Structure formats: C-alpha cells, structure tokens
Amino acid sequence: MTHLPVLLEEHDLAGAMEWLETQPAYSIADEIARMDAVNSVVAFRLLDKDRALEVFEELDPVDQQQILEGLRDQAFRDLVEGMDPDDRARMLGEVPAKVARRVLAGLSAHERHMTAALLGYPEGSVGRYMTPETVALQQNLTVAEALDVVRLRGAHAETIYTLPVVDTGRRLTGIVELRDLVLSNPDVQVAQLVDTEPPRARATDPAEQAARLMRETNMLDLPVVDSEDRLVGLLTIDDAVEVIEAADTEDTARQSGAEPLERHYMSVGVLRLARARAVWLMLLLVAATLTVSVNRFFEATLEEVTALALFIPLLIGAGGNAGAQAATAAVRALAVGEVRVSDLFRVIWRECRTGLVLGTLLAVVGALIGGLFVGADIALIVGITLIVICGWASTVGGTMPLLAKRLRIDPAVVSAPMVTTLVDATGLIIYFTTAKIILGL
C-alpha cells in the first residue's frame, strides 16, 4: 500500500483519504509526525472531527503545535475543547505563550478551569500528567449503588477501571477495581472490597517516579493526592508509558553525548541533528586535550621506550569501554530504582572488584600479545596497567552518575562519552607511571 506522504506529493487526495480511513490512529500520527508542516496540516484536515481528535492526542506536543498553527478558529476550538485535560496541559507546557493564550481562549469555562489547575503543578510533576476526570465513590455505598454512579458519571471520566474511594472530605481511603464491583453481590458494601493501602503519588512528585511505581506494582491507574491526601486525579497507564518512554529516550540521547530531539527523527533536518550533537562533541574534544597533555608530559618516556606507544590504543580503549559499561549500568539502575544515592559506597566497592576481575582477564590476553610483539618487560607493564585501569574505570563509571544525582545533576549527563574521556587521560597516567617504575626510567 502506498504511504501517505507519497499520496500527498502526488496530489492524490482521494487515495490519501482512503489510506486514512483504513489505518489506526497511532499509525496516522506517526506518518504525520514524519512530514513537513504543510503536508502534515493537509493530511490532518482530511480527517473527520472525531478521528482528528483521536489522532491529535497521539501526537507529541511539538507536532500538535504545528497542526494547531495551520487550523482556522472553529476547527481550532473544537480540537482543543475535545482533548483530555492532562493532554492539553502537557501541550500548553511546551508551546509558545501566544499559542497557549489562543488555546485557553478557545476553551469553555469548565475545561479552562481544569487545564489551569493542571498547569499550576510543577513541570514534569505527576500533576501535569494525571487526569482530574475521575469517578470517586463513597465507601458507604453498596455495590449496586456504586455501579449506578459509574454508569451516571463514567462517560465523562477518562478511566473507570480503577475507582478511588473517598470520605466526605474527598480524602483518599482506598481504591476498588471495576472488575470486583461487577463480580460482587449487589448488596455487598463497597467498604468490604476496598484496598485501603494502595500505592499513591503526590501531585508534586516527579512523573517518572510515579510511572515507574506503576510498572513495579502492575497498576492500571495510580491515585494522585494533594498534600492533605485529598484525591486530585489518576495517573493512567497510557500516560505512564509515555513518561517512561520520554525519560528513556532522553537518557539514551545524553548517554551517547547528544541533546534529545523534540520531534520525530525523520522530520528533523540535518542541521538540527548536527546541532543536537555538536555541543557535546565540542566539549568532549576540549576534554580530550587532557590526553594530549598527558602524552606531552611523558614524551621523554616515549622517546626512551618507543614500544610503549604501540599499546596506547589498546589500553585507553579497554579502560574507556569498561568505564562506559559501568556508567550505563549505573544510570539505568538509578532510573529504575535499583540503586539509590545512599548506595554510593556499596557501588564503589562492587564496581572496583568487578573492574579488577575484568582487568585480570584482559591482562592475561594483553600480556600474551605484548610478549609476542615486544618483550617480557613491556608485556608485564601492559598486564598490570590493564588490571589497574579496568578497576579504576569501572569505579569511576559506576559512581559518577550517583555523585551527579546527589548534586542534582541528571545522571545521564555524566554519560559514557564523558566517562570515557576522563578514563583515557587518567589511564595514560597509570600506564606511563607503571612503565617508569618497572623500567626504572
């Protein structure tokens, strides 16, 4: 089947409409995200009203902004009015103030109030991602009465699978699953079915932390409360997945020494791609001058024993890779909650021993290679250096993300390229110092 961009380039609008009618919303959103501003708006205008809203909510905020800028007032108002409040709030948090004012002006008083309330929470917090449209139950209801409430108010809620149970002050007392209500005797009290200690999140908590809590507890919806335990909304599983995906995408970009892209990779121009990577490459290039300085400092040692130069790539490569592996493992462990900042000294001890074990394995191979090409003295230097470098690199790589976290720096910023560059310079110091001691230079 011909893809949407090709159909639009050929001005085959009938074919484009046929394609749009046969594809799910997420596939349409992916194709629109790949296209330039003009074609994306043309494709979006071919969708009927209900379908357009479904596709629009699948788009990232930057792509949503692009679509909104190409719509006339009535279509604009219909689209933003139909969005879920949490999706609308996230979009407004990333668009220019001019667009945000236009969006808010086009909303009804009720939708504007809900959106403003969500925008009042800190950026990146659960409050920005939760849905305030929930069906809350009183625990003194019977199952039959609770189901009547769900039927009455469920159409206006984003989710009804998890039903918060509250007291008269709207403080959360627990949750009950819709499945339990449906399968229970109609005369049973809701209080008998309530989970009174469900996982919950404060509205000001980081959204990523709450999303990972949902993954660990296998919850479809996570109750969100304010500082006084009053129910303010639910974090739904679809939003939690988006939060985790965005966090992992950002971490992956930073670990590779680049800025995360705001838009679909295929819709980003070459200059934008280069700009996302250039800053880190320049910083790493400057940092790499440490290696040059070390080489210059030990220039006399290299002149006396030129064979030492043969093994520099092998040693800094092994050390850099060991450090990168440890850094990647530490960043991931921090992200999923397997490691905490308080585990710093345990991580140091753990990574140091791991590095020494790896270094010993590599030293055997390195010494054999050194013995074949040069001699026993150089082979011994290479072997000892590999053990020390790998121990040092693993320790640095494993602990730098934790130190960054303690200093409130994104651990992914202390990425593998940065660790590798640092280990390269210090590894050469270890190498030449070991050589001077063994050879008596």
Side-chain angles (χ1 to χ4, degrees):
M1 179 183 290
T2 306
H3 288 291
L4 183 60
V6 176
L7 293 170
L8 292 177
E9 288 173 7
E10 295 175 351
H11 303 289
D12 184 2
L13 296 185
M17 291 182 68
E18 182 181 353
W19 187 92
L20 290 169
E21 290 174 357
T22 60
Q23 299 298 313
Y26 65 85
S27 293
I28 298 172
D30 183 65
E31 288 297 330
I32 288 177
R34 291 168 175 262
M35 294 187 283
D36 59 34
V38 174
N39 282 333
S40 63
V41 174
V42 170
F44 192 81
R45 284 178 176 274
L46 295 177
L47 297 165
D48 62 58
K49 182 178 178 181
D50 293 336
R51 187 79 159 151
L53 177 59
E54 188 179 358
V55 171
F56 190 78
E57 290 189 331
E58 292 285 345
L59 294 170
D60 290 333
V62 66
D63 297 312
Q64 291 175 335
Q65 177 191 343
Q66 182 172 277
I67 295 297
L68 288 177
E69 289 173 348
L71 296 180
R72 288 188 290 271
D73 286 345
Q74 186 56 50
F76 183 100
R77 284 195 294 271
D78 290 343
L79 193 61
V80 297
E81 180 76 18
M83 292 179 70
D84 290 328
D86 52 321
D87 293 331
R88 190 189 303 124
R90 283 200 300 281
M91 180 188 70
L92 292 177
E94 299 187 31
V95 300
K98 179 180 178 181
V99 178
R101 286 194 296 270
R102 187 183 174 202
V103 170
L104 290 172
L107 295 175
S108 64
H110 175 67
E111 293 293 336
R112 189 184 306 118
H113 174 75
M114 284 196 297
T115 304
L118 296 182
L119 288 172
Y121 294 109
E123 185 175 354
S125 67
V126 183
R128 288 287 186 99
Y129 288 85
M130 70 181 184
T131 174
E133 298 177 309
T134 63
V135 177
L137 303 174
Q138 296 289 327
Q139 61 183 2
N140 60 353
L141 298 175
T142 64
V143 166
E145 292 170 336
L147 288 174
D148 286 340
V149 173
V150 173
R151 293 188 190 97
L152 179 65
R153 298 165 49 195
H156 303 290
E158 185 172 335
T159 179
I160 58 173
Y161 302 113
T162 301
L163 301 165
V165 179
V166 297
D167 62 17
T168 54
R170 203 171 171 77
R171 281 183 290 272
L172 183 71
T173 60
I175 61 171
V176 63
E177 301 293 336
L178 179 62
R179 179 178 184 275
D180 294 333
L181 292 181
V182 172
L183 297 178
S184 296
N185 189 302
D187 297 325
V188 170
Q189 294 285 317
V190 168
Q192 297 178 243
L193 306 175
V194 173
D195 176 1
T196 57
E197 295 186 1
R200 66 188 69 187
R202 301 282 184 192
T204 53
D205 289 345
E208 183 183 351
Q209 176 182 315
R212 295 197 185 280
L213 174 62
M214 288 182 67
R215 188 178 66 178
E216 292 170 4
T217 55
N218 297 318
M219 296 188 70
L220 286 177
D221 306 292
L222 182 71
V224 182
V225 297
D226 62 14
S227 59
E228 297 180 359
D229 277 338
R230 288 190 296 262
L231 179 72
V232 291
L234 289 172
L235 178 63
T236 57
I237 187 63
D238 56 329
D239 291 327
V241 169
E242 288 185 11
V243 169
I244 292 175
E245 181 182 358
D248 288 348
T249 298
E250 181 178 348
D251 286 348
T252 300
R254 294 194 184 283
Q255 284 176 321
S256 63
E259 288 297 318
L261 299 174
E262 296 176 351
R263 300 190 58 188
H264 195 293
Y265 172 82
M266 295 303 295
S267 69
V268 175
V270 172
L271 291 179
R272 177 66 185 89
L273 283 174
R275 188 164 68 248
R277 302 172 186 177
V279 174
W280 276 102
L281 286 177
M282 293 295 292
L283 289 173
L284 293 173
L285 181 64
V286 172
T289 57
L290 289 171
T291 305
V292 178
S293 300
V294 172
N295 276 323
R296 185 175 181 182
F297 184 80
F298 288 100
E299 190 174 0
T301 304
L302 278 173
E303 288 179 355
E304 289 191 44
V305 187
T306 55
L308 291 173
L310 297 173
F311 295 94
I312 290 178
L314 180 150
L315 294 169
I316 64 176
N321 289 335
Q325 287 177 337
T328 301
V331 169
R332 182 61 181 167
L334 275 171
V336 300
E338 294 176 355
V339 168
R340 295 184 289 270
V341 175
S342 58
D343 296 321
L344 177 62
F345 293 107
R346 292 178 63 191
V347 171
I348 291 175
W349 176 233
R350 186 183 188 84
E351 287 295 340
C352 179
R353 289 180 296 158
T354 301
L356 291 175
V357 171
L358 292 172
T360 301
L361 294 174
L362 295 179
V364 174
V365 179
L368 289 174
I369 294 173
L372 290 174
F373 286 96
V374 283
D377 288 346
I378 302 298
L380 179 61
I381 294 169
V382 170
I384 293 174
T385 303
L386 278 169
I387 294 173
V388 178
I389 282 182
C390 287
W392 165 244
S394 293
T395 304
V396 171
T399 56
M400 281 186 69
L402 274 75
L403 292 173
K405 184 78 171 179
R406 174 167 288 180
L407 296 173
R408 300 185 183 279
I409 300 172
D410 185 353
V413 172
V414 186
S415 56
M418 185 65 75
V419 171
T420 299
T421 303
L422 175 62
V423 170
D424 286 351
T426 54
L428 287 178
I429 294 174
I430 293 170
Y431 181 40
F432 290 127
T433 302
T434 303
K436 293 185 71 172
I437 293 172
I438 292 177
L439 299 177
L441 300 176

